[in-house]
Structure formats: structure tokens, C-alpha cells
Amino acid sequence: MALTADIKGGSENEIKGGAGLLVSRPFAFIGRNALGWINRLGAAAIFLCMAFLSTIGRKQLSKTVQQIYYIGARSITIIMLVSLFTGMVLGLQSYHSLLKFGASGAVGSLVSLSLIMELGPVLTAIMITARAGSAIAAEIGIQRISEQIDALHTMRINPIRYLISPKITAAIISFPLLTAVFDLIGILGGYISAVVLLGLNGGVYLHSINTYVVMSDITNGFVKSIVFAIIVATVCCYQGYFAHLRKDSHGAQAVGLATTSAVVTSCVLILVSDYVVTSLLA
Amino acid sequence: MDIPLIEFKNVTKRFGTKTVLQRVNLQIYEGQITTIIGLSGSGKSVMLKHIIGLIQPDEGAIYFRGKPIAEMKKTEIAAAFAQISYMFQGNALFDSLTVYDNIALPLRETTNLKKAEIDRRVMNRIEQTELSEAIYKYPSELSGGMQKRAALARALITDPQIVLFDEPTTGQDPVRKNAILGMIAQYQKKFNFTAILVSHEIPDVYFISNRVLALYDRQIVFQGTPEELENFDHPFMDEVISSLESLQKELTGLYSKRQFKVLNHVQLEHRRKPNKVSHVQIERRKSGESYCVVVFTLSDLDAIISNLGYDAAQEAIHSMGVYIDKNFGTIGGFSMRHKSNEIITVLPFSNLEEAENILKNFVNDFQEQGLRDIWTETQNQASADKCVDFVIRAGVAQGQPIDEIDSIIQSAKSRQTEIGRLHCAAGE
């Protein structure tokens, strides 16, 4: 009898324990992930601070210039192509929409403000993430798994100073410049579709830009692009630098996943921070 | 003995649930070449990474010149590690930089030397490591051997006091392996740095090592000279050394020192009691079975190194060994490399007269063909189109079972005469 009672008691406990687990498991999952995110965010912040502290130095200039060429100059073609068609689509859509309200004269201001305040910084950041950010994550990841970063340690060369800092500095310089290029070519694209193709008066298009675009719109766009530069460069460098610590994979696969993770995280953070920065600037 | 340069006291390292090093104790002394031997994956590289500070121990302490590293100030640690250079197993060359830039990197980034001085030092190292052809090539465009030499040049560019070599000869052919080991030994003598090697190249590393550390089952089971290791009675010897020596014979055609000693004794097989496990016990030869030892010496190895390079010098001694082994192997003799330029052949069950006749026949063939073969092979590996005079000498001595083989070798060396000479002016 006693044995039966024990078994029964045990089963009840198991059921209670099982139910308890069922209830607590989702919270534990959310808590674990939240803690993981906070940890990674903290690590990335320290990583960024260390990179900033290593920015200045006699030997940093040439490396930074080299990275500006790689991140900035070599991205110009793709930025120009994307911005031209973005501007053309904007010009086309806004012309037809505004025509319904008899306000086709505002096409220029609509295209330019959309580009300068929003699309320019965001699309530029996303395009650079796809082109240079993924390459940065892969390059640093390969250097990590092939012990090149360990080799720097043994040669008493600070890897963050040597590899990371020039990339972050170069991104901060390149992003606003590329955003400016994007804005200009985009406005030109809008002009081509609205004025050249649809017959809007060119003077009206330019006058509208001159009237409605103010300096604060342009500086706000540049502030955003600097924020995006810091986010993209830090996330991509961080993912590559710690590719060897990934728990989901090892070796070349870890580098591949680090690169994917770098691009996805950067894009998500660009959009999230866009809202935050816009709210703050407004 | 002096205070060890580096000392491990009860060092334990775990990766997750796997314990790689367990209560490891070892001492490494200044100015010596210390070699760590052990099976692949036994934790040798982990041990080296502890020394350079890339990995920290979970338990125990590492001492640098008698002081625990964990208790040192940051500046002291930086000063200690500034004396150390590391050559990685996978070379860890920067694949986006040329050979020149890879070698120049530590000087550019950690010193304030002028461009001309950096250039002079880098070019000097490039010449010493025979990389002149590869100077503007990227690592991916180089052979495995050249990549190793580039990594070696980078490790030595800052003139470090301690150099850690993680498998410096992995992936090299037997000739290049010995060339790299020879290069390490020569640089160690020249610059007097402390070298710590991780290597599988048994017995080749013995020729250059002052001390050997054996890592087995997560612990250091032996510390001592290569000669002391020969007499070390431990499962490590059967499991690790024997397997590596068999591979060595397969690759080079020459026996290792240990195999040589075993062959020079009679093996008696005893069966242990009921479990039928056979046990090999080595005993001396029976009295009355005399044998002879022939010692061959390539007298001008240094001249070959300085004129034709390390690879050519190693090829010269290697092809000489192959030729000797081919000739004496067919009549039951067995050979081994004794020093960097010496090969010893034992002719079992023979007296002095017989041995001298065998050597006489060998000398005739050697002068007709052997010398020519050695020179051809040497030229194939030469870094310059030069001719170098060299002399090969040989001497025979007879031994009895009661004699120590070392004394017979000395006796044979004292009786050496010239058996062949390559004379450049005469063509041979």
C-alpha cells in the first residue's frame, strides 16, 4: 500500500512539475534570450569604445584611407545606380499622385525631402551593408579562424587598432559622403522622370526644392547616416571578430553564418535606429 | 640548475567538459632548444599558447623567470611577451599581404624604424630563408614549404629572445623538414634565442634538441635529454615513438637511433604467464658474434649550406644516406643518421677484414656512380648555380658484444680516410 501511495504521490508531483515547467519554459526562453542580447549589446559597446580609443595614431591614417577607398569609393557605382532609379520611381509616383490634387508642382520638394530625410541615409546604409559590410564580416571572420588575429596578438600588434578601428573610422567618413551622392543622383533621377519624361516644368521642379528643403533637413540626414555608419561597421566587425565563439557552428560555416548575421542584424538595426533618431530629431 | 625561463606548475586546461592538460608540470631553460613531443591532438599547441598568453590556465600557474605571470603587472607581462615570437602551425600569414609585407609587418607596427632600415632587415631575412623569388607573391601563390619559410622569417624578424615553433615542419618533404630544423638550429646558435618546438619529427628533432618533453595522456611524462629518452621505459615509448619511427623509416630509408639500438641487440621474446601477451626484451649479443661499424662523414656541409642553401645541404646528406642504405641494406647492414653530417652503418656478424673488403667494393661504386648521384640531387635543390668542393670520408671498426657502440663509432671515426671528393675544377 505504501508503495502505491508513493508512486501516486510521485506521479502527482511529476504532473505538477511538468505543468510548472510548461508554464515557466517560455519565460525562461525569453529571459535567456534577453540576457543574451543584453550581453552581446554590452560586448559590442565595449568593442566600439576600444575601437574609438585606437582611432588616433600616426600609423592609422594610411589604413583609414585604404578603408575609405574600399568602403566608400568602390561603392559609388552601385550607390549611383540605385539612387538614380529610386529618384526616378519617386518622381513618377509622386507626379501621378500629386496630379490628382493639382499639386504636381510639389514633385521636386516631395522627391528631395523623401531622399534627403529618409531614403538617402537608409538605402545607402543598406546598400553598403550588402556590399562592404558582408565583406568586412567575412574578411575578419576568416582572419580569426585562420589564426591571423592570434598572430597579431603574438606580434604585440593590437588587432582592434590594426583591423577594426580603421574600418569604423572609414565608415563614419564614407557613409555621409555616399549619402550626399545618393541624394543628388536621386534628385536628378526625379528630374529625369518628372521633367524630361512626363513634361513637368524644370524651373518648377527646382524651385520647389529650393523653397521647401532647409539646411536642418540635410544635417538630420547626415546625422542619421553617421549613426548608421557606426551601427553597420560595429555589427559587421563584431560578428567577424567573434566568429570563432559561435555556438551554432565552427570554421568556415561559422564565418558564413557570422556574415549572414552581420547583414541581417545591421539591416534590422538600421530601420529600428532610423525610427529612434527620427523621433529624437523631430 | 638555473631558474627555469618558463615553468608550469600543476597547469590544468579544460575546453568545455574535455580536459586537455591535467596538472602539467614542466621546466624550460634559457638558451636551449626544447622540443615537446606527443600524439596529434594531445594538447601540445595548447601548451604553447599558454606560454604566449593566448590561452589562460584554468588551474595552476605559469612562471616566467621564476615569477608567476598571474601576479605580474601589465607592463611586466608586456615586457615578458615582447621577447617572445610565435610561429603558428598553419603559418597564420596575412593572405591579403605579400611575403615582403608579411615579414615587414611586426617592424612597421611595433617599431619606429625608418623605411630603409625595415627594408634592409626584411631583405636580409628573405635572403636567409631563400624567399627572394617569392618576395612580391601572396601566401596563396606559394608552396607549403615557402609559406613555412615566410612564417619563419616573420617570427625571426624582430630578433626575439624566445621563439615558439608550433609544428614548423608539418607538410614538408623529408629533405625540407631537415632543412627547416637545420635552419632553426643554426639560427638558435647564431642568435642564442631559446627555442621551444612542438614536433613529430622523431628522431630528426633529437639532433637539434637539448631537451625533450613528452606529453602523454594530458600530462608531461618525461623531461630530459634525447639520450635519456632513449632509455625511458614508459607506454609512451611504445605507443608514440615506435609509430613515428616506423613512419620515419618508410620516408627516409634510414633507421632512427632507437631502432638502430634495438637492431644492434638480440631480441628475445618471452611470454608472460597466462594472458599470452608477448613481451619483447632486449639483450646484448652473444659472445663471439663480432660486428663492424662504418662511419661516413660529409666533411663540407657548412660550405654547401652557405653556397647552395639549406635544402641542397639536406639533399646532399639525404641522398648519401639513401645510396649507403641501398648498398649495405642488400647485405644485411642497417644505417642511421648519427649527426647532421654523419651516417653510421652496422654490418652484423662480420669481422674487420670482411668489412674492409665490403667497403672497398662500395668505394669503387661510390666513386663511379654514387658521388655523381649525390651531386646531381644536391644541384636540383640548390638555390644558386655554383659548384662546391666536398669530401666524403669513411672508417671501419670492429666491435664485440661487450663493447659500447659509441666507443666503436669513435674508433671507426679515428680510422676514417677519404673515399670520395667532388672537385669543381676537375668536374668531379
Side-chain angles (χ1 to χ4, degrees):
Chain A
M1 285 298 283
L3 187 67
T4 316
D6 280 351
I7 291 169
K8 197 181 169 188
S11 302
E12 276 173 358
N13 283 338
E14 273 174 25
I15 291 162
K16 278 178 188 169
L21 271 177
L22 211 64
V23 173
S24 66
R25 198 170 281 166
F27 292 103
F29 177 78
I30 294 165
R32 253 197 318 272
N33 279 300
L35 283 175
W37 262 94
I38 292 165
N39 270 337
R40 282 194 290 275
L41 204 65
I46 293 168
F47 183 76
L48 177 65
C49 288
M50 287 168 75
F52 270 134
L53 288 174
S54 310
T55 305
I56 297 161
R58 195 169 52 84
K59 291 167 182 169
Q60 293 297 86
L61 187 63
S62 63
K63 289 194 274 282
T64 306
V65 170
Q66 202 179 357
Q67 289 301 320
I68 289 173
Y69 170 74
Y70 182 70
I71 298 171
R74 291 181 69 177
S75 301
I76 276 192
T77 316
I78 188 76
I79 290 293
M80 285 169 77
L81 193 73
V82 171
S83 60
L84 181 73
F85 284 98
T86 307
M88 285 176 76
V89 169
L90 265 179
L92 191 69
Q93 294 278 25
S94 52
Y95 178 81
H96 288 300
S97 304
L98 291 171
L99 197 62
K100 291 175 188 170
F101 305 100
S104 58
V107 169
S109 58
L110 184 63
V111 169
S112 56
L113 283 173
S114 305
L115 285 168
I116 290 167
M117 293 173 69
E118 202 56 50
L119 290 175
V122 171
L123 287 181
T124 303
I126 288 174
M127 290 316 297
I128 300 176
T129 303
R131 206 203 72 83
S134 55
I136 287 171
E139 183 190 339
I140 297 173
I142 288 168
Q143 286 174 335
R144 169 60 80 186
I145 62 159
S146 61
E147 294 183 312
Q148 291 173 36
I149 292 175
D150 287 341
L152 288 174
H153 275 293
T154 65
M155 289 187 272
R156 297 172 307 288
I157 300 168
N158 180 351
I160 291 185
R161 174 184 282 268
Y162 182 75
L163 293 173
I164 310 300
S165 187
K167 289 183 170 66
I168 293 180
T169 313
I172 292 171
I173 295 167
S174 303
F175 271 56
L177 294 175
L178 288 170
T179 302
V181 171
F182 192 101
D183 293 348
L184 278 174
I185 303 290
I187 291 168
L188 181 70
Y191 183 91
I192 292 168
S193 63
V195 178
V196 179
L197 299 176
L198 297 170
L200 183 77
N201 186 289
V204 171
Y205 182 86
L206 294 173
H207 177 72
S208 145
I209 295 172
N210 193 33
T211 309
Y212 291 104
V213 176
V214 292
M215 195 59 203
S216 63
D217 298 329
I218 298 167
T219 50
N220 287 353
F222 286 153
V223 169
K224 278 187 185 180
S225 70
I226 290 170
V227 172
F228 298 157
I230 294 169
I231 289 170
V232 170
T234 308
V235 168
C236 293
C237 291
Y238 178 85
Q239 289 288 347
Y241 198 81
F242 294 108
H244 65 306
L245 296 181
R246 291 187 76 90
K247 286 176 183 162
D248 53 355
S249 53
H250 297 279
Q253 199 183 13
V255 176
L257 288 176
T259 308
T260 308
S261 187
V263 173
V264 172
T265 311
S266 295
C267 291
V268 170
L269 288 178
I270 285 166
L271 297 173
V272 172
S273 63
D274 184 35
Y275 173 77
V276 174
V277 175
T278 308
S279 311
L280 291 173
L281 293 173
Chain B
M1 222 169 187
D2 302 335
I3 294 173
L5 176 67
I6 293 156
E7 187 172 14
F8 279 36
K9 282 189 181 170
N10 296 321
V11 168
T12 298
K13 183 68 192 174
R14 297 181 198 91
F15 292 111
T17 52
K18 192 186 174 194
T19 304
V20 181
L21 302 176
Q22 193 165 33
R23 300 181 71 79
V24 165
N25 291 291
L26 64 86
Q27 291 87 35
I28 291 163
Y29 294 96
E30 199 149 12
Q32 293 189 340
I33 298 182
T34 303
T35 302
I36 303 166
I37 55 174
L39 289 173
S40 290
S42 60
K44 302 186 294 296
S45 299
V46 171
M47 217 186 265
L48 278 197
K49 284 176 181 171
H50 274 92
I51 296 173
I52 192 108
L54 284 174
I55 297 177
Q56 308 301 325
D58 293 329
E59 287 166 29
I62 299 169
Y63 291 71
F64 188 81
R65 294 189 204 278
K67 207 169 175 186
I69 291 175
E71 291 173 20
M72 283 180 173
K73 290 175 189 165
K74 267 190 174 180
T75 49
E76 284 180 307
I77 294 173
F81 288 161
Q83 303 167 27
I84 307 176
S85 190
Y86 191 104
M87 185 177 155
F88 282 81
Q89 189 175 356
N91 304 321
L93 291 168
F94 276 80
D95 38 24
S96 55
L97 300 180
T98 61
V99 167
Y100 180 95
D101 290 333
N102 263 292
I103 299 169
L105 184 67
L107 294 180
R108 282 180 184 158
E109 292 296 323
T110 61
T111 69
N112 290 319
L113 292 172
K114 290 193 172 148
K115 198 172 175 288
E117 176 60 16
I118 292 174
D119 189 56
R120 190 189 64 77
R121 290 192 190 190
V122 173
M123 291 310 293
N124 197 17
R125 281 282 182 268
I126 282 175
E127 274 172 33
Q128 285 168 338
T129 46
E130 299 170 29
L131 285 166
S132 304
E133 291 168 25
I135 186 163
Y136 296 118
K137 286 185 177 170
Y138 289 92
S140 59
E141 297 172 315
L142 304 180
S143 67
M146 285 176 123
Q147 285 184 19
K148 269 291 178 228
R149 279 180 279 157
L152 181 63
R154 189 178 70 180
L156 298 175
I157 192 73
T158 49
D159 299 330
Q161 290 175 29
I162 305 159
V163 188
L164 313 181
F165 299 93
D166 193 355
E167 304 267 11
T169 54
T170 303
Q172 308 290 307
D173 59 61
V175 173
R176 279 202 200 283
K177 273 177 189 171
N178 285 325
I180 289 172
L181 292 175
M183 204 187 299
I184 291 170
Q186 205 210 16
Y187 280 135
Q188 195 271 337
K189 275 184 199 148
K190 195 172 171 185
F191 303 117
N192 199 31
F193 58 74
T194 304
I196 304 165
L197 268 89
V198 160
S199 183
H200 287 128
E201 306 312 328
I202 295 168
D204 302 61
V205 285
Y206 294 168
F207 299 127
I208 66 163
S209 304
N210 301 104
R211 288 181 85 236
V212 175
L213 310 181
L215 181 64
Y216 179 76
D217 196 19
R218 294 168 288 170
Q219 289 183 321
I220 291 289
V221 293
F222 173 84
Q223 294 189 67
T225 62
E227 288 75 23
E228 287 165 351
L229 181 67
E230 304 284 323
N231 303 317
F232 181 52
D233 184 22
H234 190 273
F236 172 82
M237 297 301 284
D238 298 324
E239 287 182 33
V240 182
I241 303 291
S242 302
S243 62
L244 292 170
E245 283 174 343
S246 305
L247 182 66
Q248 172 70 16
K249 165 75 182 155
E250 211 170 280
L251 289 170
T252 64
L254 295 179
Y255 288 101
S256 73
K257 248 183 186 177
R258 204 175 74 90
Q259 286 172 309
F260 185 85
K261 275 192 177 172
V262 171
L263 281 165
N264 196 36
H265 289 71
V266 177
Q267 297 184 358
L268 292 176
E269 196 171 276
H270 296 287
R271 286 197 181 277
R272 276 181 179 169
K273 288 173 194 173
N275 58 5
K276 294 184 180 179
V277 176
S278 66
H279 176 66
V280 176
Q281 191 181 346
I282 300 163
E283 291 185 358
R284 288 193 174 280
R285 291 166 179 279
K286 290 170 188 168
S287 60
E289 288 177 1
S290 69
Y291 64 99
C292 284
V293 171
V294 190
V295 179
F296 298 90
T297 307
L298 176 59
S299 300
D300 303 288
L301 197 67
D302 287 343
I304 301 176
I305 290 173
S306 56
N307 285 291
L308 304 178
Y310 292 98
D311 289 355
Q314 291 305 324
E315 185 57 53
I317 191 82
H318 172 72
S319 51
M320 184 173 117
V322 169
Y323 195 83
I324 290 166
D325 191 56
K326 195 171 70 182
N327 278 269
F328 288 94
T330 52
I331 54 167
F334 49 90
S335 307
M336 74 152 205
R337 192 166 165 187
H338 184 237
K339 287 182 181 166
S340 61
N341 66 336
E342 265 180 23
I343 288 169
I344 294 171
T345 300
V346 169
L347 299 168
F349 314 114
S350 61
N351 59 34
L352 191 61
E353 196 184 341
E354 287 168 343
E356 280 177 340
N357 282 332
I358 293 166
L359 182 63
K360 202 175 163 187
N361 289 333
F362 169 79
V363 170
N364 291 335
D365 288 345
F366 186 71
Q367 286 175 345
E368 272 179 30
Q369 189 59 42
L371 209 51
R372 208 186 303 272
D373 289 354
I374 293 169
W375 178 237
T376 309
E377 296 295 326
T378 306
Q379 272 183 313
N380 288 341
Q381 296 291 335
S383 59
D385 189 20
K386 290 183 190 170
C387 185
V388 180
D389 289 2
F390 62 82
V391 175
I392 294 168
R393 306 165 72 82
V396 194
Q398 184 178 321
Q400 291 294 327
I402 51 165
D403 299 329
E404 284 296 333
I405 191 151
D406 290 340
S407 65
I408 317 288
I409 292 169
Q410 286 309 317
S411 170
K413 278 176 81 172
S414 66
R415 300 178 61 178
Q416 275 185 330
T417 54
E418 186 178 312
I419 61 161
R421 172 187 287 266
L422 184 94
H423 200 278
C424 292
E428 190 173 299

